[in-house]
Amino acid sequence: MPSRIAVITDSSSCLPDLVASRWAIGVVQIQLNLGGHFDDENRFDRGEVINAMREGHTITTSPPDPGAFFWTYQEAAASGATAIVSIHISGRMSDTVRAAREAAQQVRIPVHVLDSRTTGMSLGFAAVSAARAAAAGGDAGRVIEAAERRCFTSTEFIYVDTLEFLRRGGRIGAAQAMLGTAFSIKPLLTVKDGEVAPLARVPGTRRALAKMVDLAVKKSGGFRADIAVTRFGASDHELEIGRQIERRVPAMAESMVVEASTVIGAHLGPGALGITVSPVY
């Protein structure tokens, strides 16, 4: 009997529901705690979370319970999967990978758990590439290779209004050195070695966003690439950023504007914007 590989990721991948459904990607929800209300992140109203953050309420996040992974894996097996490739947020940012590995030991079919060492649409594009390889009949090795190639070659460019939310959540990593940034200086960040890292300090929001676009265009130069603009809460900038990239990246394969997962937004803060550049091979 030919193998059928199921692909699972977590909600930090920021995959739109339609994309996950199209490629039959299972998405396990990371947990959010707001005012003592603890639940899957997709059960919270995004606007209410953003308002709570602006009002100074404490918001914390937690990895999925291993049981959530176990039942997702069991469902995949019951649907005919002969193996599972489970791709997740960097282990330096979250214990999600650990929970997935714990659950994998209890499942009767092979489960290959991958630490993407990234997050956001870099993870999302990796899950899609894995699912495409699986849909084409690839074995577990081919599916893993497709996912890892995307993880290792994708780049995140991140704008935040302030580093305060990253500091509160303990996810600031090497960007800690930028905490002394003056109010008018806006930080640009990336993900490096599995954690948030500083990229540049730019005066003013518009200059910072223009710099981020320039960096994304330079990164995609000469390559056919998928590009995603990620926002946490609507702003006046994300659509214009998308239009600029479409004009300046002629080799772009696919572009989309997506909502950041609420868990990612809880660490980046309202008004955060990101650009993911993911080469297509």
Side-chain angles (χ1 to χ4, degrees):
M1 183 179 71
S3 62
R4 189 179 80 78
I5 312 300
V7 175
I8 308 295
T9 188
D10 60 71
S11 53
S12 76
S13 64
C14 303
L15 279 177
D17 291 342
L18 287 176
V19 176
S21 177
R22 175 186 176 189
W23 292 104
I25 299 169
V27 180
V28 178
Q29 296 294 312
I30 296 178
Q31 306 284 293
L32 198 70
N33 186 347
L34 172 58
H37 178 204
F38 185 81
D39 210 337
D40 292 349
E41 67 159 296
N42 66 344
R43 294 182 179 174
F44 286 85
D45 179 85
R46 184 182 303 271
E48 290 180 3
V49 173
I50 291 172
N51 288 337
M53 295 178 72
R54 286 176 172 152
E55 292 169 3
H57 295 286
T58 299
I59 300 174
T60 60
T61 63
S62 300
D65 185 88
F69 280 109
F70 174 79
W71 291 113
T72 301
Y73 296 158
Q74 287 288 82
E75 183 177 354
S79 298
T82 56
I84 296 169
V85 174
S86 199
I87 318 158
H88 300 292
I89 182 174
S90 170
R92 301 184 97 180
M93 297 181 186
S94 169
D95 281 336
T96 296
V97 165
R98 184 183 301 175
R101 287 174 176 157
E102 182 178 331
Q105 296 174 6
Q106 311 301 319
V107 182
R108 60 179 175 80
I109 62 175
V111 180
H112 308 274
V113 178
L114 307 183
D115 181 344
S116 71
R117 296 182 63 79
T118 188
T119 189
M121 280 300 296
S122 288
L123 172 57
F125 283 133
V128 170
S129 284
R132 282 176 173 155
D139 60 14
R142 288 291 299 275
V143 174
I144 291 169
E145 179 186 9
E148 290 182 336
R149 184 167 59 245
R150 271 294 179 102
C151 291
F152 296 153
T153 58
S154 296
T155 304
E156 294 285 322
F157 300 102
I158 305 164
Y159 163 86
V160 293
D161 276 333
T162 173
L163 292 169
E164 177 61 20
F165 296 101
L166 278 163
R167 184 195 65 78
R168 290 180 192 175
R171 301 303 198 278
I172 201 163
Q176 180 77 27
M178 297 177 72
L179 272 176
T181 297
F183 180 75
S184 62
I185 303 297
K186 298 299 182 180
L188 296 181
L189 309 169
T190 189
V191 177
K192 183 179 180 181
D193 297 328
E195 64 180 10
V196 177
L199 191 61
R201 291 187 286 188
V202 186
T205 296
R206 290 197 173 277
R207 288 185 181 181
L209 295 177
K211 175 71 170 179
M212 184 169 67
V213 171
D214 288 344
L215 290 169
V217 170
K218 183 178 180 180
K219 185 68 179 180
S220 60
F223 295 97
R224 188 165 176 263
D226 290 330
I227 297 179
V229 178
T230 306
R231 65 186 185 186
F232 185 55
S235 73
D236 298 327
H237 306 295
E238 61 270 10
L239 295 180
E240 176 57 28
I241 288 172
R243 286 191 288 266
Q244 287 185 43
I245 290 173
E246 286 182 1
R247 289 196 300 267
R248 296 175 62 184
V249 184
M252 185 165 52
E254 183 175 4
S255 67
M256 61 180 78
V257 175
V258 303
E259 292 284 356
S261 83
T262 309
V263 161
I264 288 181
H267 292 293
L268 296 181
L273 288 163
I275 302 175
T276 303
V277 179
S278 186
V280 176
Y281 295 96

